[in-house]
Amino acid sequence: SQKIEQNSEALNIQEGKTATLTCNYTNYSPAYLQWYRQDPGRGPVFLLLIRENEKEKRKERLKVTFDTTLKQSLFHITASQPADSATYLCALDKAAGNKLTFGGGTRVLVKP
Amino acid sequence: DTAVSQTPKYLVTQMGNDKSIKCEQNLGHDTMYWYKQDSKKFLKIMFSYNNKELIINETVPNRFSPKSPDKAHLNLHINSLELGDSAVYFCASSVTSGNNEQFFGPGTRLTVL
């Protein structure tokens, strides 16, 4: 069956360091992979999208990589700040307009 | 100027009752969704509507009935509420022709007693 796995343990990191989150999937051939941020009591907010033919995408301090051979995406927050503390969700999509399947999310806590 | 809004924010009710959650988006999107996020924080799609037409219907009990009066609104009606229905329900919207970047509402926390 299709599975999307994110590290369920919280990631504690010191301010200024780089946080790296993983998203692994099995039995899936996504066309797109998306990352969302979710703060407590709020809905997820879209951050980045990477296509199957792209290796890397950047947006400000965020970087996403996508390895379809390893079936893995890495999400990096560089120069992390306490305001980056949140839960980060990865989501897979077979094609535009199709449904998104979400991972369980990884909570990040950036300590000053 | 809220993009995707849901009402109510909190809903506490007894088992067996019927309740509705409303969702509206002012982004001009043509696709809307309902998701359920359980206590373990897994976000699962329930329904998707495109231009008022149901296109995704996951394995959801038929006590749940979505209704889309127009493409800016997608409501969720739940009959005979059960304890296991307690969760946070999120509405979302997107543009079909785009990258499926989804915009989520603030969520409705449903507690069934």
Side-chain angles (χ1 to χ4, degrees):
Chain A
S1 62
Q2 296 172 345
K3 233 186 214 180
I4 303 170
E5 290 182 332
Q6 294 185 253
N7 194 344
S8 58
E9 285 184 24
L11 178 64
N12 291 299
I13 192 162
Q14 202 65 36
E15 183 176 7
K17 301 291 186 186
T18 296
T20 298
L21 286 66
T22 58
C23 175
N24 296 300
Y25 58 92
T26 53
N27 298 323
Y28 212 116
S29 297
Y32 300 81
L33 190 145
Q34 301 184 20
W35 284 89
Y36 287 77
R37 168 184 173 141
Q38 187 173 22
D39 291 284
R42 293 178 175 262
V45 174
F46 173 81
L47 295 174
L48 277 168
L49 176 148
I50 187 163
R51 294 178 177 78
E52 60 180 338
N53 59 353
E54 296 176 320
K55 295 289 183 191
E56 184 179 296
K57 206 76 167 284
R58 289 176 187 259
K59 179 182 174 184
E60 296 171 354
R61 294 182 296 108
L62 307 179
K63 184 177 91 170
V64 172
T65 62
F66 194 9
D67 189 326
T68 54
T69 303
L70 289 178
K71 295 187 184 295
Q72 181 182 76
S73 174
L74 297 179
F75 178 83
H76 306 271
I77 308 171
T78 58
S80 58
Q81 303 168 0
D84 295 326
S85 299
T87 296
Y88 292 86
L89 306 165
C90 72
L92 305 184
D93 186 5
K94 282 187 184 177
N98 209 328
K99 69 176 185 179
L100 283 181
T101 304
F102 282 84
T106 298
R107 188 162 160 258
V108 172
L109 181 59
V110 181
K111 296 181 179 177
Chain B
D1 60 347
T2 306
V4 182
S5 59
Q6 292 178 231
T7 54
K9 175 86 172 154
Y10 301 96
L11 188 51
V12 181
T13 188
Q14 298 287 332
M15 259 195 327
N17 283 350
D18 303 338
K19 289 293 177 186
S20 292
I21 307 172
K22 294 187 175 180
C23 177
E24 177 181 359
Q25 55 94 5
N26 62 6
L27 297 167
H29 291 168
D30 56 0
T31 304
M32 294 184 72
Y33 311 82
W34 276 111
Y35 287 87
K36 179 181 180 180
Q37 189 169 45
D38 59 25
S39 56
K40 292 183 180 178
K41 304 300 183 187
F42 276 95
L43 195 62
K44 290 185 182 173
I45 190 163
M46 301 171 69
F47 301 103
S48 169
Y49 269 75
N50 179 263
N51 283 317
K52 302 195 299 175
E53 185 183 334
L54 181 66
I55 56 171
I56 293 175
N57 184 350
E58 291 296 286
T59 310
V60 177
N62 56 15
R63 298 182 293 105
F64 290 78
S65 52
K67 280 204 176 119
S68 182
D70 56 61
K71 70 176 190 178
H73 295 84
L74 180 62
N75 303 323
L76 183 65
H77 189 76
I78 316 169
N79 288 329
S80 304
L81 278 156
E82 299 177 358
L83 293 177
D85 297 332
S86 296
V88 182
Y89 292 84
F90 287 100
C91 177
S93 70
S94 70
V95 177
T96 305
S97 59
N99 293 325
N100 206 15
E101 166 190 346
Q102 297 193 8
F103 292 76
F104 284 80
T108 295
R109 181 175 291 277
L110 171 65
T111 303
V112 183
L113 303 174

